[in-house]
Amino acid sequence: MKRSFTLVDVLLVLAFLSDASWDVKGSSQCRQTNSEVIRPHSVSIAEFGAVGDGVTLNTKAFQNAIFYLNSFADKGGAKLFVPAGRWLTGSFDLISHLTLWLDKDAVILGSTKSDDWPVIDPLPSYGRGRELPGGRHRSLIYGRNLTDIIITGDNGTIDGQGKIWWKWFQSGTLDYTRPHLVELMNSTGVVISNLTFLNSPFWTLHPVYCSHVKVRNVTILAPLDSPNTDGIDPDSSDDVCIEDCYISTGDDLIAIKSGWDEYGISYGRPSRGIIISGLIGETQLGAGIAIGSEMSGGVSEVHAENLQFFNTVTAIRIKTSPGRGGYVRNIYISNVTLDHVDVAIRFTGHYGDHPDELFDSNALPIIERITMKDVSGKNIKMAGLLEGIEGDTFLNICLSNITLNAISESPWNCSYVEGYSNHVTPETCDSLKESIFPKHYLHCYYLSRHLRSSSNQNRGARLWSW
């Protein structure tokens, strides 16, 4: 059966012949990590006097065990084993070349006394605590300037017992910003896998100023009405891979950040090279994947695929504001399945507060080259609410093969955005209606490479069919 030539066919072949080789990171990078690194030295927390009764405070036991294991850091590293039991503790520090391993029936419990979570300096890219001026409470499990750190187990549990913190926050009785459950700063070679994280006081997993971070096969849970209990927040970090996770929390399941207003601009460390694959979850207060609103150091090269969100207020969201500066560019999101979602795609150009009065309102963010492809959804209220900034239009927004069963009479609402689309149902807004093909696919991040890859795989079949 003969097939007629089309301009798209010709362009694809020309692209293949002119540039047959290209390289892009894929989600398989996560699968190359090994959380079962053999450490030549291993101890149990029980050897240091810890009692797993859920009542005895074991902070000193954790601190002493890790101090002891530090002597093996240059001898192949060490493993701290947490056996079955309920191990109550305050905040403790990790060390380099350490594996923290939890038995399947082990539960590390965060203390419900705020004094057991010391106050530390604010992050330099934020200039103050995220919620309150001044310092912030240190995370339950904390580390800085580390190399080769693994937090894993046989699906053991780390429970922040955040209910008391949520109460303090909502009543306005806190003096400092709430703690994360796990925070690693200025660290490289981080693996977090095969664990369940419960009830974080604030954001759950927070790698900040980190490189080479892998988060795999974790479950993160908090009540759907718990305040700001984000799941995973890569912050001013690069080469981050998040794969095969289930998250159900009170705020964004994954939020990619890079500093806050003038402090993030000055610190100048972007988040880039973020890969997300196999994410399933729900949130009634946040988004499935969010970028921002603190993005002043810049966010780029984010690839997210194979996502399923249900009973969720927003699926994909970009949040920014005048004063943020920075940029969000080169974002590719594909293979998304939605069910009972209020807004499938949302951009908000006026979101969030500012750290102080010193921010520059003329520091406008650059939002460009955002591609969303192969998105389907049922029981959707609005397909898209895309609000840019007057005088700072969000550019090269590309939507391809999107089918949403939206019930709103006005399924798309757009302002100050420009881009292209193909095969979008319901029909998108006028500023995005111009077709991607054949003239504009090179303006769409990764889409040209994706098409080129497809043409490579099917080149023989294409030529034979001609």
Side-chain angles (χ1 to χ4, degrees):
M1 180 176 182
K2 292 186 177 181
R3 175 185 166 192
S4 61
F5 290 95
T6 68
L7 182 57
V8 173
D9 290 326
V10 175
L11 288 171
L12 288 171
V13 172
L14 289 175
F16 166 71
L17 294 174
S18 64
D19 187 7
S21 64
W22 55 275
D23 181 41
V24 66
K25 295 177 181 179
S27 62
S28 62
Q29 187 173 13
C30 240
R31 299 187 181 98
Q32 295 169 6
T33 65
N34 183 5
S35 60
E36 299 181 0
V37 172
I38 297 175
R39 307 289 194 188
H41 306 279
S42 178
V43 297
S44 168
I45 190 62
E47 296 176 47
F48 292 83
V51 179
D53 60 4
V55 177
T56 303
L57 189 67
N58 296 297
T59 311
K60 278 293 182 184
F62 277 99
Q63 292 171 343
N64 290 340
I66 290 171
F67 179 80
Y68 167 76
L69 292 175
N70 196 39
S71 62
F72 301 105
D74 60 348
K75 302 177 179 65
K79 176 179 177 180
L80 177 57
F81 176 68
V82 182
R86 296 174 62 80
W87 308 91
L88 182 69
T89 179
S91 174
F92 62 90
D93 285 86
L94 302 179
I95 56 173
S96 293
H97 309 295
L98 175 75
T99 296
L100 176 65
W101 178 282
L102 278 69
D103 179 80
K104 64 182 177 66
D105 295 317
V107 182
I108 293 178
L109 292 171
S111 169
T112 56
K113 296 181 179 179
S114 62
D115 289 346
D116 293 325
W117 307 64
V119 175
I120 59 175
D121 290 337
L123 293 168
S125 59
Y126 283 70
R128 47 159 279 186
R130 183 58 187 86
E131 298 177 307
L132 293 166
R136 61 207 181 95
H137 287 277
R138 192 173 72 177
S139 62
L140 183 67
I141 298 176
Y142 179 76
R144 60 183 303 170
N145 303 320
L146 304 182
T147 302
D148 176 26
I149 180 71
I150 298 171
I151 304 171
T152 189
D154 189 16
N155 200 33
T157 300
I158 299 173
D159 185 347
Q161 300 201 101
K163 184 177 181 179
I164 187 65
W165 291 96
W166 310 330
K167 180 180 178 181
W168 291 333
F169 169 73
Q170 291 167 335
S171 64
T173 57
L174 285 170
D175 295 322
Y176 303 100
T177 293
R178 288 173 288 160
H180 310 300
L181 194 53
V182 177
E183 180 179 77
L184 299 171
M185 292 178 57
N186 292 304
S187 298
T188 186
V190 175
V191 177
I192 302 174
S193 66
N194 304 321
L195 292 172
T196 296
F197 298 88
L198 303 178
N199 304 317
S200 178
F202 194 38
W203 307 342
T204 305
L205 304 182
H206 186 222
V208 58
Y209 320 141
C210 288
S211 296
H212 309 297
V213 178
K214 316 298 179 190
V215 181
R216 292 194 61 216
N217 193 32
V218 303
T219 298
I220 300 175
L221 304 175
L224 294 174
D225 61 352
S226 56
N228 312 112
T229 51
D230 294 16
I232 306 169
D233 286 16
D235 197 342
S236 293
S237 294
D238 58 88
D239 189 9
V240 177
C241 188
I242 301 167
E243 185 176 54
D244 297 337
C245 296
Y246 180 88
I247 306 176
S248 175
T249 63
D251 210 328
D252 301 327
L253 307 186
I254 293 177
I256 302 168
K257 301 176 180 291
S258 66
W260 196 10
D261 285 7
E262 71 269 24
Y263 301 103
I265 294 171
S266 176
Y267 196 78
R269 176 157 181 175
S271 280
R272 60 190 176 196
I274 313 291
I275 297 170
I276 303 165
S277 178
L279 173 66
I280 302 174
E282 63 176 324
T283 171
Q284 294 179 7
L285 297 175
I289 292 179
I291 300 176
S293 70
E294 310 89 340
M295 40 60 68
S296 301
V299 176
S300 66
E301 282 71 55
V302 175
H303 287 224
E305 62 179 6
N306 302 327
L307 315 172
Q308 299 179 49
F309 303 130
F310 59 94
N311 299 335
T312 290
V313 63
T314 306
I316 308 297
R317 191 170 191 184
I318 295 175
K319 301 179 283 187
T320 188
S321 178
R324 290 290 192 263
Y327 55 84
V328 175
R329 63 165 63 104
N330 296 349
I331 312 298
Y332 181 81
I333 297 173
S334 67
N335 296 323
V336 184
T337 303
L338 309 177
D339 189 7
H340 285 94
V341 171
D342 287 352
V343 183
I345 303 168
R346 186 169 188 180
F347 300 166
T348 308
H350 292 270
Y351 184 93
D353 52 359
H354 302 280
D356 51 41
E357 70 282 356
L358 301 177
F359 75 95
D360 179 5
S361 60
N362 294 317
L364 298 178
I366 298 170
I367 313 297
E368 61 182 3
R369 291 172 58 80
I370 315 295
T371 297
M372 299 189 190
K373 181 178 179 291
D374 300 336
V375 181
S376 63
K378 59 183 180 180
N379 303 307
I380 309 298
K381 290 183 179 178
M382 282 195 71
L385 181 56
L386 310 183
E387 300 168 322
I389 299 172
E390 185 175 6
D392 183 31
T393 300
F394 299 177
L395 298 174
N396 292 334
I397 311 304
C398 298
L399 308 176
S400 176
N401 193 29
I402 295 176
T403 303
L404 300 168
N405 180 14
I407 64 175
S408 172
E409 293 183 1
S410 300
W412 292 90
N413 189 326
C414 304
S415 58
Y416 310 114
V417 297
E418 293 181 3
Y420 315 99
S421 63
N422 273 91
H423 306 299
V424 176
T425 304
E427 190 174 63
T428 188
C429 40
D430 289 343
S431 59
L432 301 176
K433 278 184 179 178
E434 189 170 355
S435 179
I436 294 173
F437 306 105
K439 291 169 41 178
H440 297 295
Y441 74 93
L442 292 176
H443 296 115
C444 298
Y445 174 66
Y446 195 65
L447 192 53
S448 59
R449 290 183 172 184
H450 176 81
L451 291 171
R452 211 176 309 166
S453 175
S454 298
S455 72
N456 292 356
Q457 295 171 6
N458 299 308
R459 182 171 178 243
R462 283 181 179 274
L463 294 175
W464 280 111
S465 67
W466 292 350

